[in-house]
Amino acid sequence: MEMIPKVRKAVFPAAGLGTRFLPATKAQPKEMLPVVDKPLIQYGVEEALDSGVPNIIIITGRNKSSIEDHFDVSFELENVLESKHKDHLLSVVRKISDMINVSYVRQKEALGLGHAVLRARELIGPEPFAVVLADDVIEAKRPCLRQLIDVHDFFGASVVALMEVPREAVSAYGVVDAEPVEHNGACDKLFRIRSLVEKPNPQDAPSNLAIIGRYVLTPEIFQSIDSIEAGAGGEIQLTDALRHLLRNGPIYGLLFEGTRYDAGDKLGFLKATVEFALGRDDLGGPFREYLKSLEL
Ligand code: UTP
């Protein structure tokens, strides 16, 4: 039997323009927007680490320095915290720079998600890898990425995370045409993908199963990205590359277990902020009291 290689690297595209979140994203990437007190990208990085993926590759664009600084050692800050005996904060800050083995690749122009992923080709090499879009923040008992990796490790094929969305919302997503597959005796969560389309009109959409920002991809995806033309919005779309990759072999879709917040969108961001604040030991109580006091 052929060995299925392990997923060891995760790509974090963070070079988009974040136009839905202007003006906050004028001078900083949206991946640095904090939900409660942690930037979006840190939630994603923690999810990758919790999923057993130790190597992080961040695709940056203009205004990249805040992301690099965030994951770097900050001697000055550490010195101040140390001298003031702020041990808890010091450990919070140290944990971030100790946390990851990180590399950065530049996407010089925001030519699309597929184009961004292609920048990681040299660093990935001939092995399967994960893609995490950090503006999709996912709360789950078992990390969403881990759920996808389990499917990958079983089939040795690419896997995308799926979510059911209202029909009228499909035009904001990549949408799949897919048939259920039996897996571990259950066949309501796993799908084999027949085709995919980026941002379809609701009346043309093959289903209401939308792709959200977690993927496990086999390295053949790079040839596929290389072969396709710009698609929706004039961008090199990862969804189009996945459709091309179907010629190569099967792709699976998993209705993951958990809650996803679209934190790249203002309303989604606000929902994530409220839910995460309510879930915090230190803030949940007083924040709940405050919300109750609002006359809505
Ligand atoms: P989005 O579709 O959310 O686009 O990108 P965007 O440009 O970031 O944001 P809006 O729609 O203008 O508000 C999905 C992910 O792909 C990355 C983004 O950083 C985000 O993580 N991306 C997108 C790139 O890295 N490069 C690109 O050229 C496009």
Side-chain angles (χ1 to χ4, degrees):
M1 214 181 86
E2 212 179 313
M3 279 278 286
I4 295 172
K6 290 266 163 281
V7 177
R8 304 183 307 137
K9 300 173 184 170
V11 176
F12 285 72
L17 298 177
T19 53
R20 284 171 297 157
F21 230 117
L22 283 167
T25 46
K26 186 173 174 227
Q28 66 167 348
K30 72 175 160 190
E31 287 74 10
M32 285 304 293
L33 295 171
V35 167
V36 185
D37 54 6
K38 244 196 285 185
L40 295 176
I41 194 156
Q42 193 180 333
Y43 287 94
V45 166
E46 288 175 1
E47 182 183 328
L49 299 180
D50 290 345
S51 302
V53 181
N55 302 299
I56 305 297
I57 298 167
I58 301 178
I59 313 294
T60 60
R62 84 257 171 270
N63 307 322
K64 61 167 183 169
S65 57
S66 56
I67 296 183
E68 296 193 356
D69 290 347
H70 185 70
F71 291 111
D72 257 350
V73 177
S74 174
F75 291 108
E76 193 190 355
L77 180 61
E78 288 186 17
N79 283 341
V80 172
L81 294 174
E82 204 161 15
S83 65
K84 293 191 171 167
H85 306 291
K86 304 213 167 182
D87 297 340
H88 174 65
L89 288 176
L90 183 62
S91 77
V92 167
V93 164
R94 280 209 176 126
K95 218 177 103 199
I96 303 167
S97 49
D98 286 348
M99 191 160 65
I100 58 168
N101 177 11
V102 60
S103 322
Y104 299 92
V105 184
R106 188 81 179 228
Q107 184 191 22
K108 288 184 198 152
E109 258 185 292
L111 298 178
L113 176 58
H115 183 264
V117 170
L118 188 58
R119 300 306 104 209
R121 187 179 202 162
E122 294 303 318
L123 286 176
I124 298 289
E127 54 181 284
F129 64 101
V131 173
V132 176
L133 306 189
D135 52 340
D136 277 339
V137 180
I138 301 178
E139 222 181 359
K141 281 208 199 82
R142 191 165 170 72
C144 177
L145 188 58
R146 186 65 237 175
Q147 298 175 41
L148 298 191
I149 292 173
D150 288 343
V151 176
H152 167 269
D153 290 352
F154 188 83
F155 292 103
S158 295
V159 192
V160 302
L162 297 177
M163 190 175 104
E164 285 184 89
V165 299
R167 266 276 160 184
E168 62 277 11
V170 289
S171 53
Y173 296 90
V175 177
V176 300
D177 174 13
E179 60 192 329
V181 182
E182 204 163 324
H183 178 57
N184 291 337
C187 65
D188 52 345
K189 299 268 184 240
L190 187 67
F191 294 81
R192 183 165 167 167
I193 292 173
R194 284 191 286 250
S195 190
L196 326 79
V197 49
E198 183 65 25
K199 299 191 170 62
N201 289 323
Q203 63 271 23
D204 305 330
S207 73
N208 67 337
L209 292 174
I211 304 172
I212 57 107
R214 300 290 184 278
Y215 309 74
V216 174
L217 301 172
T218 54
E220 292 77 24
I221 191 71
F222 294 122
Q223 282 110 274
S224 291
I225 300 172
D226 232 355
S227 329
I228 59 166
E229 305 282 322
E235 297 190 344
I236 305 283
Q237 297 287 356
L238 187 58
T239 306
D240 295 339
L242 285 164
R243 192 170 55 250
H244 184 276
L245 184 66
L246 275 173
R247 302 178 192 179
N248 224 281
I251 299 177
Y252 294 89
L254 181 72
L255 273 176
F256 69 96
E257 281 171 28
T259 308
R260 170 256 189 188
Y261 300 94
D262 179 4
D265 167 78
K266 288 173 197 173
L267 185 59
F269 181 89
L270 289 169
K271 290 178 185 172
T273 302
V274 170
E275 295 289 345
F276 278 74
L278 286 172
R280 285 269 296 246
D281 292 340
D282 54 342
L283 287 167
F287 188 51
R288 189 177 309 272
E289 288 311 307
Y290 166 70
L291 290 179
K292 279 191 193 153
S293 77
L294 296 176
E295 286 176 27
L296 298 173

